[in-house]
Amino acid sequence: MPALAASALLLAAGCSSPPSQADPPASTAGSRADASPDSTDRSLTVAAAPAGTATATARPGSAGGKAHRTKLSVSSYDGRTGRAVISSNGRTGKPSSAPPASSPTANSPAPGTSPSASEAGPGATPETPHRTAVGDVIASAPAPGAPEGLLAKVTKVIGETPEGTEVQTEPAQLNALLGDDTAKGSVPVAPADFDIDELLPDVDVSWSRTRDTHIGPEGATVPLGSLRLDVRTDLPTVGNATASASASASASVEGFVQVAPQVDFRYGGQGTDSTPTSAYLGVSGDWTSGWALKGRAGASAAPTRIPFATLHADPVLQVGPVPVVVNLDLTLYLRISGDGKVTVDVEQNLKGEFKAGGTFGLGQGWTPVSSADMTSTPVKTTVTSAGSVQAALGAEASVGLYGSVGVVADLAPYVRGEATGTVTGTDDVFTFDGSWAVHGGVDLNGTLRLQLSVFGTPVLQRNIPLGTVHREWKLAGGETS
């Protein structure tokens, strides 16, 4: 009896699909994947993919058709025609900004999942069991012609080329690879992974990572994992037609944004109709900013938006054996509006966290998720004349999968000054009788896009607003005469 029990335990362990040596070690720093002591738990680890990330394939509806790592790699892809060349011998070009598409170690298939030669397609031999075939669903990290990753289904094998097998593909969905597994995790995006385009002359970039720290301007140390951008620019000015030229006020904004973004991903197992029971995609992180608005800005009731930097990254999440490519874009901007009457001298420091994304559940479909918890400290506040002005130092974030935008969010912390009353005088001698106030605030809004159907969920019929988060608090104010 003890021998039979031990044998049963060994058989159960052997049937539980242990990870192969090719699977990366579970990351505890970059993943918050749910783990259960229950032996039936099918939760996949979510972590930042290691260098040399392999492709994964699945053949839904066939024996042994679950997703697994393979030695296949995308040698080239034409997004216009949907044609791809799939290499099975490691011969592949690599884009300059992408990790290698193949690795001798990482590409080893999981035990028991290699397709047989009879399944492999035309021209296959027992020595080349990994050749692609009709029905294969392929997930790839960024590759030549697919800089934002590739998730596609093979619909036709066209023929052999010196680089590999040329195939016709069509867009695929994640549930074809993840099936009835579940996954949940949040993975930070390394500052060094961003391609940064500075749009104004006076923009400085600072960041830090382990054993490699870049110090921000004026000796400000950037925390580990954060990216900081400092900016200074003059704003459109307005003159006082009734006063001398010296009365016209120049206006400028200078400050910094420091952000540590992370990608949030969740997938629930399939229901009876192959639709995932749940899904989530979003971006979140810590935010710190400080800026000074000085002078009198040009008269414009409509906000003037001045982008000063764009950032792009394609982090690859390793969800079990599947490389899930997330496309993250950030546009940092200044925004100014007012009536051209108020002269301000305001400095504000702001710190907090934010979250924006879309969540799916059976019964309610896709719904928005957005929150922003910010606190600010005024360093200096002065308002003169009667009128209003508002300035924001914000970021627009776009997050999607495999080149399909799913969520767009706009986070805009701002400062607003206003004064009411009567101003009299000429030249440099004025008197003011009234009240004034300066407020800090934050706006967060955005939309869910149709392309979130990449999860395998029902297609959205329209863009869904995230819902506006609006908070405002008083920084300073008073009566004056």
Side-chain angles (χ1 to χ4, degrees):
M1 291 296 291
L4 289 173
S7 299
L9 288 172
L10 288 173
L11 286 172
C15 294
S16 62
S17 299
S20 70
Q21 293 180 353
D23 289 337
S27 169
T28 56
S31 171
R32 299 191 184 99
D34 292 341
S36 169
D38 186 353
S39 60
T40 62
D41 178 45
R42 300 182 61 84
S43 181
L44 301 176
T45 299
V46 178
T53 299
T55 59
T57 64
R59 191 168 299 169
S62 65
K66 284 181 61 64
H68 59 278
R69 296 186 179 204
T70 74
K71 291 184 178 180
L72 296 175
S73 58
V74 178
S75 182
S76 64
Y77 176 71
D78 186 338
R80 183 179 59 86
T81 64
R83 290 194 175 189
V85 175
I86 309 299
S87 172
S88 59
N89 57 9
R91 292 177 298 177
T92 176
K94 302 176 181 64
S96 58
S97 61
S102 61
S103 169
T105 301
N107 286 346
S108 300
T113 56
S114 299
S116 66
S118 62
E119 296 176 311
T125 68
E127 289 75 24
T128 58
H130 302 288
R131 197 174 301 278
T132 190
V134 172
D136 281 351
V137 177
I138 299 174
S140 170
E148 296 177 322
L150 181 64
L151 177 62
K153 179 180 179 180
V154 177
T155 59
K156 180 181 180 181
V157 176
I158 297 172
E160 298 302 317
T161 73
E163 291 76 28
T165 305
E166 185 177 12
V167 297
Q168 184 70 46
T169 70
E170 65 181 17
Q173 297 174 331
L174 265 176
N175 57 336
L177 288 162
L178 298 179
D180 57 358
D181 288 323
T182 62
K184 180 181 179 181
S186 297
V187 177
V189 182
D193 290 346
F194 281 101
D195 293 325
I196 302 174
D197 188 8
E198 301 166 16
L199 304 179
L200 293 180
D202 296 327
V203 176
D204 296 317
V205 180
S206 310
W207 51 269
S208 63
R209 64 183 179 188
T210 306
R211 297 184 301 277
D212 190 358
T213 301
H214 294 246
I215 304 302
E218 301 180 4
T221 302
V222 181
L224 190 67
S226 291
L227 179 69
R228 169 172 167 152
L229 290 95
D230 289 70
V231 62
R232 186 198 182 284
T233 187
D234 293 328
L235 297 173
T237 59
V238 60
N240 188 337
T242 63
S244 66
S246 62
S248 65
S250 62
S252 65
V253 170
E254 60 179 310
F256 74 92
V257 170
Q258 183 175 288
V259 61
Q262 63 181 20
V263 173
D264 305 321
F265 178 90
R266 185 173 73 243
Y267 174 87
Q270 292 180 342
T272 55
D273 60 352
S274 299
T275 299
T277 58
S278 64
Y280 179 83
L281 180 66
V283 60
S284 62
D286 296 327
W287 173 282
T288 304
S289 62
W291 74 93
L293 170 63
K294 299 181 181 181
R296 189 193 315 169
S300 175
T304 299
R305 183 177 168 121
I306 307 172
F308 64 87
T310 59
L311 301 83
H312 177 81
D314 296 301
V316 184
L317 309 185
Q318 193 70 50
V319 182
V322 180
V324 176
V325 184
V326 180
N327 315 122
L328 180 60
D329 288 276
L330 296 172
T331 299
L332 303 182
Y333 64 86
L334 302 165
R335 190 181 68 202
I336 186 79
S337 64
D339 56 16
K341 299 177 181 179
V342 169
T343 301
V344 297
D345 189 346
V346 179
E347 296 180 23
Q348 180 184 223
N349 293 327
L350 188 139
K351 189 174 185 179
E353 58 186 14
F354 66 95
K355 176 185 292 186
T359 185
F360 174 82
L362 292 176
Q364 70 265 28
W366 282 100
T367 55
V369 173
S370 57
S371 65
D373 185 11
M374 302 276 180
T375 58
S376 69
T377 303
V379 178
K380 185 177 182 181
T381 20
T382 304
V383 179
T384 59
S385 299
S388 64
V389 67
Q390 179 171 307
L393 191 60
E396 183 180 82
S398 169
V399 59
L401 299 176
Y402 303 103
S404 296
V405 176
V407 179
V408 176
D410 195 336
L411 176 68
Y414 66 85
V415 62
R416 179 174 66 86
E418 60 181 358
T420 59
T422 303
V423 180
T424 59
T426 59
D427 295 334
D428 295 331
V429 181
F430 292 89
T431 61
F432 174 68
D433 185 10
S435 62
W436 65 276
V438 173
H439 300 268
V442 60
D443 288 327
L444 174 62
N445 53 61
T447 56
L448 301 182
R449 294 285 180 87
L450 175 106
Q451 291 91 333
L452 274 173
S453 60
V454 72
F455 277 97
T457 61
V459 174
L460 298 179
Q461 298 302 313
R462 57 184 175 84
N463 290 340
I464 299 177
L466 283 179
T468 299
V469 175
H470 175 76
R471 290 181 56 236
E472 187 173 273
W473 52 89
K474 189 173 182 178
L475 298 175
E479 305 283 335
T480 185
S481 63

Short mmCIF file of all heavy atoms in Angstrom, two decimals, residues 113-137:
data_model
loop_
_atom_site.label_atom_id
_atom_site.label_comp_id
_atom_site.label_asym_id
_atom_site.label_seq_id
_atom_site.Cartn_x
_atom_site.Cartn_y
_atom_site.Cartn_z
N THR A 113 5.36 18.51 -25.68
CA THR A 113 4.50 19.39 -26.46
C THR A 113 4.99 19.58 -27.87
O THR A 113 4.39 20.32 -28.62
CB THR A 113 4.40 20.77 -25.77
OG1 THR A 113 5.73 21.29 -25.61
CG2 THR A 113 3.73 20.68 -24.42
N SER A 114 6.09 18.97 -28.26
CA SER A 114 6.58 19.13 -29.64
C SER A 114 5.65 18.40 -30.59
O SER A 114 5.30 17.24 -30.39
CB SER A 114 7.99 18.54 -29.77
OG SER A 114 8.88 19.22 -28.93
N PRO A 115 5.21 19.06 -31.67
CA PRO A 115 4.35 18.38 -32.63
C PRO A 115 5.12 17.31 -33.37
O PRO A 115 6.32 17.40 -33.56
CB PRO A 115 3.91 19.51 -33.57
CG PRO A 115 4.99 20.55 -33.44
CD PRO A 115 5.48 20.45 -32.03
N SER A 116 4.42 16.31 -33.79
CA SER A 116 5.07 15.24 -34.54
C SER A 116 5.34 15.67 -35.96
O SER A 116 4.83 16.67 -36.43
CB SER A 116 4.15 14.01 -34.55
OG SER A 116 2.98 14.31 -35.30
N ALA A 117 6.16 14.89 -36.66
CA ALA A 117 6.49 15.23 -38.05
C ALA A 117 5.24 15.24 -38.91
O ALA A 117 5.12 16.02 -39.85
CB ALA A 117 7.52 14.25 -38.61
N SER A 118 4.28 14.37 -38.60
CA SER A 118 3.06 14.33 -39.40
C SER A 118 2.24 15.59 -39.23
O SER A 118 1.45 15.95 -40.09
CB SER A 118 2.22 13.10 -39.02
OG SER A 118 1.83 13.19 -37.66
N GLU A 119 2.38 16.29 -38.05
CA GLU A 119 1.64 17.51 -37.81
C GLU A 119 2.37 18.73 -38.34
O GLU A 119 1.81 19.81 -38.43
CB GLU A 119 1.42 17.72 -36.30
CG GLU A 119 0.56 16.67 -35.63
CD GLU A 119 0.50 16.92 -34.15
OE1 GLU A 119 1.54 17.12 -33.53
OE2 GLU A 119 -0.62 16.92 -33.62
N ALA A 120 3.65 18.58 -38.66
CA ALA A 120 4.49 19.74 -38.88
C ALA A 120 4.28 20.41 -40.21
O ALA A 120 4.71 21.53 -40.40
CB ALA A 120 5.96 19.35 -38.74
N GLY A 121 3.66 19.77 -41.17
CA GLY A 121 3.38 20.44 -42.43
C GLY A 121 4.27 19.93 -43.54
O GLY A 121 5.12 19.08 -43.37
N PRO A 122 4.08 20.47 -44.74
CA PRO A 122 4.81 20.00 -45.91
C PRO A 122 6.31 20.15 -45.74
O PRO A 122 6.79 21.14 -45.21
CB PRO A 122 4.29 20.92 -47.02
CG PRO A 122 2.99 21.46 -46.53
CD PRO A 122 3.12 21.53 -45.05
N GLY A 123 7.04 19.14 -46.19
CA GLY A 123 8.49 19.22 -46.16
C GLY A 123 9.12 18.88 -44.83
O GLY A 123 10.33 18.93 -44.69
N ALA A 124 8.31 18.57 -43.81
CA ALA A 124 8.88 18.30 -42.49
C ALA A 124 9.51 16.92 -42.46
O ALA A 124 9.10 16.00 -43.15
CB ALA A 124 7.79 18.40 -41.42
N THR A 125 10.52 16.79 -41.66
CA THR A 125 11.18 15.50 -41.44
C THR A 125 11.31 15.30 -39.95
O THR A 125 11.14 16.23 -39.17
CB THR A 125 12.59 15.50 -42.07
OG1 THR A 125 13.41 16.42 -41.35
CG2 THR A 125 12.54 15.92 -43.53
N PRO A 126 11.62 14.06 -39.50
CA PRO A 126 11.79 13.86 -38.06
C PRO A 126 12.87 14.75 -37.47
O PRO A 126 12.86 15.02 -36.28
CB PRO A 126 12.17 12.37 -37.98
CG PRO A 126 11.57 11.77 -39.21
CD PRO A 126 11.67 12.82 -40.26
N GLU A 127 13.82 15.23 -38.29
CA GLU A 127 14.87 16.09 -37.75
C GLU A 127 14.41 17.54 -37.62
O GLU A 127 15.08 18.34 -36.99
CB GLU A 127 16.11 16.04 -38.67
CG GLU A 127 16.88 14.73 -38.63
CD GLU A 127 16.16 13.63 -39.38
OE1 GLU A 127 15.36 13.95 -40.29
OE2 GLU A 127 16.38 12.45 -39.04
N THR A 128 13.29 17.91 -38.23
CA THR A 128 12.79 19.29 -38.14
C THR A 128 11.32 19.26 -37.71
O THR A 128 10.42 19.56 -38.48
CB THR A 128 12.90 20.01 -39.50
OG1 THR A 128 12.18 19.25 -40.49
CG2 THR A 128 14.35 20.14 -39.93
N PRO A 129 11.07 18.88 -36.45
CA PRO A 129 9.69 18.70 -36.00
C PRO A 129 8.98 20.00 -35.65
O PRO A 129 7.82 19.97 -35.29
CB PRO A 129 9.87 17.83 -34.76
CG PRO A 129 11.20 18.26 -34.21
CD PRO A 129 12.05 18.55 -35.41
N HIS A 130 9.66 21.15 -35.75
CA HIS A 130 9.06 22.39 -35.28
C HIS A 130 8.55 23.28 -36.41
O HIS A 130 8.25 24.43 -36.18
CB HIS A 130 10.08 23.18 -34.43
CG HIS A 130 10.58 22.40 -33.27
ND1 HIS A 130 9.81 22.15 -32.16
CD2 HIS A 130 11.79 21.82 -33.03
CE1 HIS A 130 10.51 21.44 -31.29
NE2 HIS A 130 11.71 21.23 -31.80
N ARG A 131 8.47 22.74 -37.63
CA ARG A 131 8.01 23.56 -38.75
C ARG A 131 6.55 23.94 -38.54
O ARG A 131 5.75 23.16 -38.06
CB ARG A 131 8.20 22.79 -40.05
CG ARG A 131 8.15 23.68 -41.29
CD ARG A 131 8.50 22.89 -42.53
NE ARG A 131 9.82 22.30 -42.43
CZ ARG A 131 10.95 22.96 -42.69
NH1 ARG A 131 10.89 24.23 -43.03
NH2 ARG A 131 12.12 22.35 -42.60
N THR A 132 6.22 25.17 -38.92
CA THR A 132 4.86 25.67 -38.68
C THR A 132 3.87 25.03 -39.64
O THR A 132 4.24 24.52 -40.71
CB THR A 132 4.83 27.20 -38.82
OG1 THR A 132 3.56 27.68 -38.36
CG2 THR A 132 5.05 27.63 -40.26
N ALA A 133 2.58 25.08 -39.28
CA ALA A 133 1.53 24.48 -40.09
C ALA A 133 0.26 25.29 -39.97
O ALA A 133 0.12 26.14 -39.07
CB ALA A 133 1.28 23.03 -39.64
N VAL A 134 -0.68 25.03 -40.88
CA VAL A 134 -1.96 25.71 -40.85
C VAL A 134 -2.65 25.44 -39.51
O VAL A 134 -2.69 24.31 -39.03
CB VAL A 134 -2.84 25.24 -42.02
CG1 VAL A 134 -4.26 25.80 -41.88
CG2 VAL A 134 -2.22 25.67 -43.35
N GLY A 135 -3.20 26.48 -38.92
CA GLY A 135 -3.89 26.35 -37.64
C GLY A 135 -3.05 26.78 -36.47
O GLY A 135 -3.58 27.00 -35.37
N ASP A 136 -1.72 26.88 -36.66
CA ASP A 136 -0.86 27.32 -35.56
C ASP A 136 -1.16 28.77 -35.20
O ASP A 136 -1.34 29.63 -36.07
CB ASP A 136 0.62 27.23 -35.94
CG ASP A 136 1.14 25.80 -35.85
OD1 ASP A 136 0.40 24.93 -35.33
OD2 ASP A 136 2.27 25.55 -36.29
N VAL A 137 -1.22 29.07 -33.91
CA VAL A 137 -1.30 30.43 -33.41
C VAL A 137 0.06 30.78 -32.83
O VAL A 137 0.59 30.05 -31.98
CB VAL A 137 -2.40 30.59 -32.34
CG1 VAL A 137 -2.41 32.00 -31.78
CG2 VAL A 137 -3.76 30.25 -32.95
#
